[in-house]
Amino acid sequence: MTEHFATSPFGGRMINAAHFLSYEKLRQQKQNLRQNSIQTENTSERTAVCVDRWKLLRALTEAREAYQLSSRSIAVLEALLSFYPDKILDGSVPLIVFPSNHELSMRLRGMSAPTIRRHIATLVEIGFILRRDSPNGKRFVRRDSNGEIAMAFGFDLAPLTFRAAEIETQAEKIREENRIRQQLRFSITIHLRDISKTILSALNENREGDWEALYDQLQALSGRVERNGTLSSLTIREQALSNLRRQVENLYLSNVSEPQMSGNERENEHHIQNSSIESFDKTKPIKTEKSEIQIADKPTTARAQIKTPHLNEILNRCPQIKNYAVHGIQNWKDLVTTAGHIRSMLGITLSAWQQACESMGEINAAVTVAALLERSDTIHSAGGYLRKLSQKAEIGQYSVQPVLRALSQTKH
């Protein structure tokens, strides 16, 4: 098949230096390829431009931001590639596809002709394809007496094969950046959780130190961990949290006495305030339907009871909290720990969380936070809402059961 094509486009489109250089570059690359094939018997150079079209398209999809390509431009390129009969693209031979506008639109699920032209122009501008326009601007093929293609007019895919190595390098760079970004996001989340829990424990245990100031530093570094944040911003935040965590842990350990550090695990287990549940020990079954939390009424000695449902019932009605548990939620301790972690994400301050733990008990405070998480899209101020519920609990007018029932009714 002849490779003598016009370099100028049909119709009103004008040629520019970039387009002309693209044609000239492809011509030179093919000429070098032919010379290498003549001079050497090995096919290493030829193999270098033989690529799997779908693997190449996948790599380009991963690296599309490097070329400022939209997903629709990738879809147009995919449609063009689908018209080539072979899976392997060999840049040493002409790679002309000549779909009609109608067929191209059909493979693009009805994309309009002006939109298709716009994305094709983008692909030409970047240098991934070239136009091979016929004298009348139509796309068609001429075959010889043996049925072989003698001449074809349409879009040349050959430039894409010569840039396969470059595209794969860009894709690998993006993969590595995404891997680092994910590691930074994980580290930031863990730092936020550990710092928050350490400060909370220090305040509950009345440890010496300026914990409020450290908490203010934590608040300044808290907030949503962006999925697509820049590496520089994530790195700065991770380093700042790492330094803060070191300060918090060192201060906490400096206030721990030798007997406390050498105590057994049961002695150091976290206490559930105001709860009749004796232990978070995983080996002991907890009959939550009989557990209840005693709360003193402010003006009198009357007692109010807040009954705690089964843990499984809570997780069934508030399933989102399980997504934030590092090792799952197997017992009440896991639930309280996870609730303490996500409360800052919901905008609940440390003082509001402490007030809830004191008035409701830690378990019911955790159940309430789990319920607030389920309704986070409809509650504008979870912190203010929790404070109101804490005030009701202090006078014996709050129970988690109606909150859970309301969740079930909302879902149905």
Side-chain angles (χ1 to χ4, degrees):
M1 185 171 97
T2 180
E3 289 192 55
H4 296 284
F5 295 98
T7 55
S8 59
F10 172 80
R13 295 190 304 271
M14 298 298 294
I15 193 169
N16 56 38
H19 293 166
F20 192 87
L21 289 174
S22 294
Y23 287 102
E24 181 61 22
K25 182 179 180 180
L26 179 61
R27 187 191 66 77
Q28 188 63 46
Q29 286 172 326
K30 288 193 173 185
Q31 182 178 344
N32 292 340
L33 200 61
R34 284 193 294 269
Q35 290 176 350
N36 289 336
S37 298
I38 295 173
Q39 294 173 1
T40 61
E41 295 182 358
N42 67 67
T43 58
S44 59
E45 291 292 332
R46 180 182 175 86
T47 304
V49 290
C50 290
V51 295
D52 185 311
R53 58 180 173 179
W54 303 128
K55 289 183 179 179
L56 178 58
L57 186 69
R58 180 181 178 85
L60 183 57
T61 301
E62 291 180 290
R64 66 186 180 86
E65 291 183 2
Y67 299 100
Q68 298 183 336
L69 279 174
S70 69
S71 58
R72 302 194 83 183
S73 293
I74 296 290
V76 171
L77 181 58
E78 180 181 10
L80 291 174
L81 287 170
S82 70
F83 285 100
Y84 191 73
D86 297 331
K87 180 182 178 182
I88 302 299
L89 300 177
D90 186 351
S92 65
V93 299
L95 299 175
I96 312 296
V97 293
F98 36 87
S100 67
N101 288 336
H102 175 73
E103 285 300 319
L104 194 53
S105 177
M106 290 297 291
R107 294 203 184 182
L108 286 165
R109 305 298 185 265
M111 185 181 290
S112 67
T115 302
I116 293 174
R117 286 196 296 270
R118 186 170 68 253
H119 291 295
I120 285 177
T122 299
L123 295 170
V124 171
E125 193 71 30
I126 295 174
F128 285 160
I129 63 173
L130 290 177
R131 297 180 187 274
R132 300 296 192 183
D133 287 349
S134 66
N136 62 1
K138 302 292 184 180
R139 302 177 208 129
F140 61 90
V141 61
R142 299 285 188 187
R143 299 183 184 273
D144 58 22
S145 58
N146 296 321
E148 298 294 330
I149 295 177
M151 185 179 296
F153 297 98
F155 301 105
D156 192 345
L157 304 174
L160 194 63
T161 65
F162 285 95
R163 299 183 67 177
E166 169 202 327
I167 292 170
E168 181 57 39
T169 299
Q170 289 290 349
E172 182 58 37
K173 180 181 177 181
I174 296 295
R175 292 187 204 110
E176 180 63 15
E177 288 179 356
N178 288 337
R179 185 187 65 79
I180 296 173
R181 182 179 289 105
Q182 186 180 48
Q183 288 182 342
L184 288 171
R185 291 181 66 248
F186 285 170
S187 295
I188 289 171
T189 301
I190 291 172
H191 286 326
L192 287 170
R193 182 193 69 203
D194 289 353
I195 295 170
S196 176
K197 292 302 294 182
T198 304
I199 293 176
L200 178 61
S201 296
L203 291 171
N204 285 339
E205 297 163 3
N206 294 319
R207 302 281 179 187
E208 292 183 2
D210 194 357
W211 298 107
E212 293 294 340
L214 291 171
Y215 176 73
D216 289 340
Q217 292 183 48
L218 174 62
Q219 286 296 95
L221 295 169
S222 296
R224 183 169 173 265
V225 185
E226 296 182 358
R227 184 175 297 276
N228 295 316
T230 63
L231 291 183
S232 59
S233 64
L234 290 173
T235 300
I236 292 171
R237 187 177 179 187
E238 193 277 336
Q239 289 176 349
L241 283 168
S242 179
N243 293 334
L244 179 58
R245 179 178 178 176
R246 193 177 300 111
Q247 294 178 49
V248 169
E249 291 180 346
N250 288 341
L251 181 58
Y252 184 87
L253 290 174
S254 68
N255 284 284
V256 177
S257 62
E258 286 296 328
Q260 287 177 311
M261 295 184 68
S262 61
N264 60 42
E265 182 180 355
R266 184 168 298 280
E267 290 173 346
N268 288 327
E269 275 190 303
H270 195 53
H271 176 62
I272 305 177
Q273 298 177 14
N274 298 327
S275 174
S276 62
I277 297 177
E278 295 179 357
S279 171
F280 282 129
D281 193 341
K282 296 181 180 180
T283 62
K284 290 186 178 181
I286 299 176
K287 297 181 179 180
T288 56
E289 71 275 13
K290 294 183 180 179
S291 65
E292 47 188 35
I293 300 172
Q294 304 292 335
I295 300 176
D297 196 352
K298 282 185 176 179
T300 69
T301 57
R303 311 292 288 181
Q305 294 181 349
I306 301 179
K307 294 186 178 180
T308 308
H310 282 283
L311 179 60
N312 288 339
E313 178 186 353
I314 293 166
L315 296 180
N316 287 336
R317 298 191 184 189
C318 307
Q320 290 190 50
I321 195 169
K322 293 186 288 186
N323 298 331
Y324 298 89
V326 178
H327 301 296
I329 298 178
Q330 306 297 329
N331 51 48
W332 295 111
K333 182 179 181 181
D334 293 338
L335 180 68
V336 173
T337 301
T338 306
H341 166 54
I342 66 170
R343 58 94 193 156
S344 59
M345 182 187 74
L346 293 172
I348 298 172
T349 64
L350 179 61
S351 60
W353 168 247
Q354 289 177 313
Q355 182 183 4
C357 290
E358 291 170 0
S359 61
M360 304 176 189
E362 287 187 344
I363 288 180
N364 286 283
V367 173
T368 303
V369 169
L372 291 176
L373 177 63
E374 292 294 321
R375 298 182 56 191
S376 58
D377 56 338
T378 60
I379 296 177
H380 298 295
S381 176
Y385 197 80
L386 184 63
R387 285 189 184 277
K388 289 182 180 179
L389 297 180
S390 298
Q391 291 170 2
K392 289 184 177 182
E394 288 176 355
I395 58 175
Q397 294 182 358
Y398 174 68
S399 171
V400 295
Q401 289 286 6
V403 175
L404 296 174
R405 283 197 298 269
L407 276 178
S408 298
Q409 292 171 1
T410 302
K411 292 178 180 179
H412 292 298

